[in-house]
Amino acid sequence: MHLVEDLTFCHFFCPTAMLAAATFFLILYIISRFILEKMGKEPPGPRHLPLIGNLLQLDLKRPHNTLFELSKKYGSVFTVYFGPTKVVVLAGYKTVKEALVNYSEEFGDRSVTPIFEDITQGHGILFANGDSWKEMRRFAISTLKDFGMGKRVIEDKVIEECHHLIQAIESHKGKPFVTVDLLTYAASSIISSLLYGSRFEYDDSQFLDMLRTTNENNRLLGSVGIQFYNTFPWLHHFIANRKLILKYTEGNIRRFKELLNNLKETLNSHMCRGLVDCFLNRKKKDEDSGVEDSHFHESNLIFTVANLFAAGTDTTATTLNWALLLMAKYPQIQDRVQAELWKVIGNRQIRMDDRRNLPYTDAVIHETQRFASILPMSLPHKTSKDVTFQGHFLKKGTIVYPLLMSVLHDESEWESPHTFNPSHFLDKEGQFVKREAFLPFSAGRRLCLGEGLARMQLLLFFSSLLQRFRFTPPPGVGEDDLDLTPGFSFISGPLPHELCASTTLDPPVESIKSA
């Protein structure tokens, strides 16, 4: 009897249980598919090896070139592995702009690589996140505006610096000289006047030491050794370049503290000479008011000033260095710039208001920025939350590289993306035209806060120099011999070179007519 009952029970239960289980798993499958479709799939990418990832596929001296080529195969959103670290790359104008502008909050955090964590420890502006970053960026923008960034008062400072730069170039009397050195002095003097309230003389030993170590750090930051350290930070004992960077950084911090002590001794709570004074006054105010966890402390001051000094110097000087090299490389373009300047400006000092009447000169400056692409990989971002972007799911904390080079060299946006062609910014009538894919200063929450100052310096310095000098290769070097290959550095400048600057006379009448 029990056997019959058991058989009857199994006959009844098994099909029902199986049907219920099948229904359960079917519902579970449908729900999981719905969730996956909603979240999106992870971005595609090349196959990677354990531990070393895709390092064997990358040109470690110029990784942006490899990533640009990979984007042509895997699309505008793809994954690579820098060693064991997963990285998502964004390529092309539409994708980069959509991420940085339309998803500015989701892609707005900074991914801080180990070397920059060592240097800044989360302080300053460029390599910081959270409330501290917001406070320092807000303070820097408002304070620099108060000191005239982008206004007539700073324009006068740039014009004054043009005269110092011209005198320094004239001292070489037409003989070959390293252009980037003097351009760096000029650009750094402008940012120094905003930070400290006064410029430096080009022969100031403290000033020259700061520039030398800053430039050397930029070179080392782009080295293969530092890329290995950022990928495998546990190798820090074996990376000599890391030790050098920290040594140079320590020296610059020491020099800055010396400047800081001098400013403290003459600080006036009712008058700020520069950003440092404003910071010190705010710091004292917070201390007197008993503000807890104030972001206005010495570490933030040191690295905010260091960030602004380096960014305000290197990007402008490097772009101008490219511009002069390109003028020597393409003398026919230099002819047209000088002819336009002579026709519109003559011998008088150029002002920012003249820009609208100098379409060809303006186009050459913009094309230099586009062609040079001095920060080809941008600085790494990090997703602040889970996000589905263009059908791909990116977890919170995913490292993201907006490949700016792929924007400025986007083959669907530029007629001849890989050649120097000022016509990219000119219409059929020869008037200047803006291009949406021109994003050398990035976009979104991490947009370069010194864009207005940089644009002013590029126009005034470049035009003033082309008014005064003719730039040519050194004797024995032909125009075709000038190498446009970028060097290996954190900021992509030309390889070391010299140029000659001869004083220009009145341009030929034919040049004026053609301008």
Side-chain angles (χ1 to χ4, degrees):
M1 180 67 180
H2 291 294
L3 180 61
V4 174
E5 289 177 351
D6 288 343
L7 288 172
T8 305
F9 178 79
C10 286
H11 179 74
F12 172 79
F13 176 76
C14 289
T16 304
M18 291 177 61
L19 180 62
T23 304
F24 171 78
F25 284 113
L26 178 61
I27 293 173
L28 184 63
Y29 173 76
I30 294 173
I31 292 175
S32 64
R33 285 295 302 269
F34 174 77
I35 293 174
L36 287 173
E37 287 180 6
K38 187 175 181 180
M39 291 172 60
K41 298 178 181 179
E42 291 193 348
R47 296 184 66 179
H48 61 282
L49 297 173
L51 187 62
I52 64 172
N54 298 112
L55 290 182
L56 296 179
Q57 298 169 258
L58 297 175
D59 177 356
L60 294 181
K61 292 183 178 180
R62 298 184 179 89
H64 52 275
N65 287 340
T66 307
L67 297 178
F68 192 27
E69 290 304 312
L70 287 174
S71 71
K72 297 176 182 178
K73 180 177 181 179
Y74 295 102
S76 59
V77 184
F78 65 96
T79 300
V80 293
Y81 281 80
F82 291 177
T85 304
K86 176 184 174 181
V87 170
V88 170
V89 180
L90 307 178
Y93 162 64
K94 292 180 180 178
T95 294
V96 170
K97 184 179 180 182
E98 182 182 2
L100 299 186
V101 177
N102 298 347
Y103 291 77
S104 60
E105 182 178 350
E106 290 86 346
F107 289 94
D109 277 0
R110 172 71 69 225
S111 174
V112 184
T113 56
I115 188 61
F116 285 117
E117 183 62 39
D118 291 342
I119 293 172
T120 69
Q121 297 180 355
H123 301 303
I125 301 176
L126 290 181
F127 306 101
N129 287 302
D131 292 339
S132 180
W133 166 71
K134 291 178 183 177
E135 189 72 30
M136 290 302 100
R137 182 178 172 89
R138 187 184 304 117
F139 167 79
I141 291 174
S142 62
T143 304
L144 292 175
K145 283 184 177 179
D146 289 342
F147 283 103
M149 190 172 73
K151 300 178 182 178
R152 184 63 175 257
V153 60
I154 195 64
E155 180 179 356
D156 291 337
K157 288 181 181 292
V158 176
I159 288 172
E160 178 187 353
E161 200 60 46
C162 286
H163 300 321
H164 293 293
L165 177 58
I166 287 170
Q167 290 175 3
I169 293 177
E170 285 177 337
S171 69
H172 290 278
K173 298 180 180 179
K175 295 180 180 179
F177 69 101
V178 179
T179 54
V180 71
D181 289 346
L182 295 181
L183 296 171
T184 300
Y185 301 162
S188 59
S189 281
I190 295 299
I191 193 64
S192 293
S193 68
L194 288 169
L195 296 175
Y196 307 118
S198 61
R199 64 180 297 276
F200 287 98
E201 296 295 335
Y202 291 177
D203 58 356
D204 185 293
S205 59
Q206 187 180 40
F207 173 60
L208 294 177
D209 284 343
M210 290 176 64
L211 288 178
R212 178 182 59 80
T213 53
T214 298
N215 290 337
E216 184 62 13
N217 265 1
N218 282 336
R219 185 186 68 79
L220 293 172
L221 286 167
S223 66
V224 173
I226 293 301
Q227 292 188 55
F228 266 107
Y229 169 61
N230 285 333
T231 304
F232 308 107
W234 45 271
L235 291 174
H236 62 93
H237 290 298
F238 306 99
I239 307 297
N241 284 354
R242 174 182 177 269
K243 297 177 182 178
L244 281 175
I245 287 174
L246 296 181
K247 175 185 175 181
Y248 292 145
T249 300
E250 183 180 350
N252 271 353
I253 290 175
R254 185 177 62 254
R255 295 183 190 96
F256 172 73
K257 287 184 176 180
E258 292 174 1
L259 285 171
L260 183 60
N261 289 333
N262 293 333
L263 291 171
K264 283 180 178 179
E265 291 176 359
T266 55
L267 184 63
N268 185 337
S269 60
H270 302 293
M271 182 184 70
C272 290
R273 294 160 294 187
L275 180 140
V276 172
D277 280 6
C278 293
F279 193 106
L280 291 173
N281 283 330
R282 174 63 184 274
K283 178 174 178 289
K284 186 176 185 305
K285 180 181 177 182
D286 284 359
E287 290 171 349
D288 293 343
S289 302
V291 176
E292 296 183 2
D293 300 324
S294 171
H295 298 298
F296 289 85
H297 50 74
E298 187 172 270
S299 293
N300 257 341
L301 173 57
I302 289 172
F303 288 106
T304 294
V305 170
N307 291 165
L308 293 172
F309 181 82
T313 296
D314 298 327
T315 54
T316 299
T318 300
T319 303
L320 288 169
N321 195 29
W322 273 111
L324 299 186
L325 177 62
L326 289 163
M327 293 303 94
K329 177 78 171 179
Y330 302 113
Q332 71 279 9
I333 295 178
Q334 186 173 189
D335 287 341
R336 288 193 62 181
V337 171
Q338 291 181 322
E340 183 179 69
L341 289 170
W342 185 261
K343 183 177 181 180
V344 176
I345 308 299
N347 286 321
R348 70 171 173 83
Q349 175 61 54
I350 184 174
R351 309 289 310 202
M352 286 301 295
D353 290 342
D354 294 314
R355 182 194 291 273
R356 65 176 67 92
N357 297 318
L358 298 169
Y360 191 77
T361 302
D362 203 9
V364 167
I365 294 171
H366 280 70
E367 178 65 0
T368 298
Q369 293 178 269
R370 186 205 67 80
F371 176 80
S373 185
I374 64 172
L375 206 61
M377 289 180 65
S378 183
L379 296 177
H381 289 232
K382 181 175 64 176
T383 52
S384 62
K385 59 181 73 173
D386 290 353
V387 57
T388 300
F389 178 72
Q390 292 191 358
H392 303 292
F393 177 67
L394 282 68
K395 292 182 180 179
K396 177 182 178 180
T398 300
I399 299 173
V400 177
Y401 275 92
L403 197 61
L404 288 186
M405 170 198 175
S406 71
V407 177
L408 298 173
H409 292 180
D410 191 327
E411 295 177 355
S412 66
E413 296 289 336
W414 306 97
E415 293 75 20
S416 52
H418 307 299
T419 60
F420 183 69
N421 179 12
S423 295
H424 284 138
F425 295 92
L426 297 169
D427 61 18
K428 294 180 180 179
E429 287 72 40
Q431 295 303 304
F432 181 83
V433 291
K434 295 181 179 181
R435 299 291 294 265
E436 290 187 359
F438 181 72
L439 297 179
F441 300 102
S442 193
R445 297 178 72 193
R446 296 283 175 167
L447 173 70
C448 174
L449 60 84
E451 177 181 355
L453 177 62
R455 287 167 57 83
M456 176 183 290
Q457 289 184 89
L458 291 177
L459 178 69
L460 296 180
F461 279 130
F462 178 73
S463 299
S464 296
L465 293 180
L466 269 290
Q467 268 185 304
R468 183 70 180 179
F469 301 107
R470 178 78 180 177
F471 292 92
T472 57
V477 178
E479 294 150 6
D480 293 339
D481 298 323
L482 293 177
D483 193 351
L484 298 183
T485 303
F488 313 126
S489 182
F490 180 61
I491 294 178
S492 184
L495 293 169
H497 66 277
E498 293 182 323
L499 295 178
C500 296
S502 56
T503 304
T504 59
L505 300 175
D506 296 358
V509 175
E510 292 79 7
S511 296
I512 297 177
K513 290 180 179 178
S514 65

